[in-house]
């Protein structure tokens, strides 16, 4: 049963993001005590922890996160538990390079920052579903859990992807919008200009890397 938010958090939430995976347990205990003294009652946890939660495909380790939630709960601090999907681990990108977002020039982004995934990657969606289901099953009844943190800053680093799967998604969106290729040609009046008329959906490409005419006024 979904609880009313006022039942879960009957007071104003005060806190912020917390990244305990960067520190040792001694620091966790010190942090929790300082949070308690400062009146912190809610922190977001595990936002960028995928590589520690799933060290290899299907090999999960929640022991450290169990301990973090235990310490926070003992100090009266609730948790907004993240899905940890904001930053895919290096092993995932190496094993399934098709999850990587692609730049306008056709070059894939690489591991080393965050949000390098393509939102249209079927393989990525399978991977995040497996991780999220494991998290939900393990912590759904944990007393420290107050809410779920389902994403971190949409489009913060990447707002566009030019992968093949993104192109396919674009074409599917066009089909829903225009229904027929003739309707698209009619609405896109410019397709009659420079021989741009389309016969099939798979002829449509992203409007990138196109020859352009530069007019210089003398």
């Amino acid at each position: 049963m979904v609880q009313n938010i006022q039942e879960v958090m009957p007071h104003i939430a005060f806190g912020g993001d917390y990244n305990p995976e960067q520190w040792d347990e001694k620091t966790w205990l010190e942090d929790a005590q300082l949070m308690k003294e400062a009146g912190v009652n809610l922190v977001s946890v595990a936002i960028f922890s995928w590589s520690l939660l799933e060290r290899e495909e299907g090999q999960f380790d929640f022991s450290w996160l169990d301990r973090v939630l235990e310490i926070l709960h003992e100090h009266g601090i609730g948790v907004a538990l993240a899905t940890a999907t904001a930053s895919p681990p290096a092993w995932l990108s190496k094993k399934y390079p098709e999850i990587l977002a692609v730049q306008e020039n056709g070059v894939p982004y690489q591991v080393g920052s965050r949000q390098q995934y393509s939102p249209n990657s079927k393989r990525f969606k399978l991977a995040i579903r497996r991780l999220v289901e494991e998290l939900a099953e393990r912590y759904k009844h944990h007393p420290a859990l107050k809410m779920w943190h389902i994403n971190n800053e949409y489009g913060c680093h990447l707002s566009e992807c030019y992968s093949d799967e993104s192109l396919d998604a674009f074409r599917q969106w066009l089909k829903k919008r225009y229904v027929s290729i003739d309707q698209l040609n009619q609405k896109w009046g410019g397709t009659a200009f420079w021989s741009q008329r389309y016969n099939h959906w798979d002829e449509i490409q992203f409007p990138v890397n196109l020859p352009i005419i530069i007019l210089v006024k003398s």
Side-chain angles (χ1 to χ4, degrees):
M1 176 182 289
V2 178
Q3 291 179 279
N4 186 295
I5 187 61
Q6 291 181 338
E7 296 175 0
V8 180
M9 294 291 293
H11 44 258
I12 294 176
F14 173 62
D17 292 349
Y18 182 46
N19 302 289
E21 64 272 21
Q22 300 176 14
W23 314 103
D24 55 24
E25 183 169 333
K26 181 173 181 261
T27 304
W28 301 345
L29 292 164
E30 294 172 352
D31 288 345
Q33 183 59 41
L34 290 171
M35 289 180 198
K36 182 176 180 180
E37 293 173 7
V40 170
N41 55 33
L42 183 72
V43 291
S44 298
V45 174
I47 298 174
F48 304 112
S49 301
W50 191 342
S51 64
L52 294 179
L53 294 172
E54 188 180 10
R55 294 178 178 270
E56 295 289 346
E57 187 171 16
Q59 298 179 16
F60 296 96
D61 178 12
F62 296 107
S63 57
W64 67 273
L65 188 55
D66 289 347
R67 182 61 180 143
V68 168
L69 266 61
E70 178 184 350
I71 291 172
L72 292 171
H73 182 61
E74 288 173 351
H75 287 78
I77 302 166
V79 168
L81 186 57
T83 58
T85 53
S87 187
W91 65 258
L92 184 65
S93 299
K94 181 181 179 182
K95 190 169 185 178
Y96 304 110
E98 66 268 27
I99 77 158
L100 293 169
V102 176
Q103 301 176 60
E104 183 177 330
N105 61 5
V107 177
Y109 288 92
Q110 295 300 322
V111 176
S113 182
R114 60 176 181 172
Q115 297 183 355
Q116 68 268 20
Y117 58 84
S118 169
N120 295 302
S121 168
K122 296 181 179 63
R123 174 60 65 177
F124 181 67
K125 292 176 182 179
L126 286 172
I128 62 175
R129 179 172 181 171
R130 179 180 61 229
L131 173 62
V132 170
E133 287 179 347
E134 290 284 341
L135 281 166
E137 185 61 32
R138 189 173 189 88
Y139 297 111
K140 61 184 178 182
H141 297 307
H142 197 288
L145 180 64
K146 301 302 178 183
M147 61 183 69
W148 289 96
H149 183 297
I150 60 173
N151 201 286
N152 185 74
E153 301 172 347
Y154 286 99
C156 170
H157 285 27
L158 301 179
S159 59
E160 298 176 341
C161 175
Y162 297 88
S163 67
D164 289 341
E165 286 184 283
S166 293
L167 179 56
D168 181 65
F170 176 53
R171 290 167 176 163
Q172 295 302 319
W173 179 82
L174 291 175
K175 287 181 183 180
K176 290 181 181 179
R177 182 177 179 86
Y178 297 107
V179 182
S180 71
I181 199 73
D182 288 337
Q183 182 78 351
L184 178 141
N185 282 303
Q186 181 182 355
K187 294 296 184 180
W188 288 11
T191 63
F193 183 70
W194 281 352
S195 191
Q196 297 302 304
R197 184 183 183 281
Y198 299 104
N199 294 317
H200 305 285
W201 297 104
D202 61 6
E203 294 173 355
I204 299 174
Q205 302 295 322
F206 286 128
V208 298
N209 196 31
L210 304 176
I212 59 173
I213 297 176
I214 300 177
L215 300 178
V216 179
K217 184 176 181 181
S218 59

